Amino acid sequence: KQACDRDLEEKLKVSEKQAVELQSRETEHAKECENLRDKHQSDMRTKDDEILALKLSHEDDTADRFQTAQAHARGLEDKLQAVQNENATLRLSVSERTKQLDQSL
């Protein structure tokens, strides 16, 4: 009976030791999972920041291009107005010369 009790005690000690080892591994695994989750969240925040930076940069570039296009359009409008003014002046001049020629004839 004592041999049987010792055998059971030995098996109990081994089982307890295995339980402690399993608990330790489980705790270690949980920490690894938590670290991986934290790293993933950090990586996602970094990616979100990068995406936001690219989006803002693109919006800035688009705004700059739009302002450049507007300035170019204003320049073209000014040139068109100058040409129209010159045409009006030339028409008036031609009209006056035509009147002068008509009067001289």
Side-chain angles (χ1 to χ4, degrees):
K1 181 177 179 193
Q2 286 181 344
C4 186
D5 286 346
R6 273 181 269 179
D7 188 40
L8 287 174
E9 282 182 29
E10 191 62 35
K11 286 181 181 178
L12 181 61
K13 285 180 183 178
V14 169
S15 293
E16 287 173 351
K17 186 176 180 183
Q18 288 175 341
V20 168
E21 287 175 4
L22 285 174
Q23 182 67 37
S24 176
R25 280 194 231 155
E26 185 179 324
T27 301
E28 189 176 314
H29 179 72
K31 286 180 184 178
E32 287 175 9
C33 288
E34 187 176 335
N35 289 339
L36 285 172
R37 188 195 76 230
D38 291 346
K39 183 180 181 328
H40 175 71
Q41 288 176 344
S42 175
D43 289 349
M44 292 305 293
R45 281 191 297 271
T46 299
K47 291 295 180 195
D48 288 345
D49 290 346
E50 290 173 0
I51 290 168
L52 180 60
L54 286 171
K55 183 179 177 185
L56 292 174
S57 174
H58 176 71
E59 288 173 356
D60 288 347
D61 289 348
T62 302
D64 289 346
R65 287 180 184 181
F66 180 71
Q67 289 175 349
T68 300
Q70 279 184 319
H72 183 65
R74 281 192 296 273
L76 291 175
E77 288 171 356
D78 292 345
K79 286 181 182 179
L80 175 62
Q81 187 63 48
V83 167
Q84 288 174 338
N85 290 342
E86 186 178 341
N87 282 347
T89 302
L90 289 173
R91 278 193 204 113
L92 185 60
S93 176
V94 167
S95 175
E96 287 176 6
R97 286 194 180 184
T98 302
K99 283 181 188 176
Q100 287 175 355
L101 286 173
D102 286 345
Q103 287 176 359
S104 66
L105 293 176

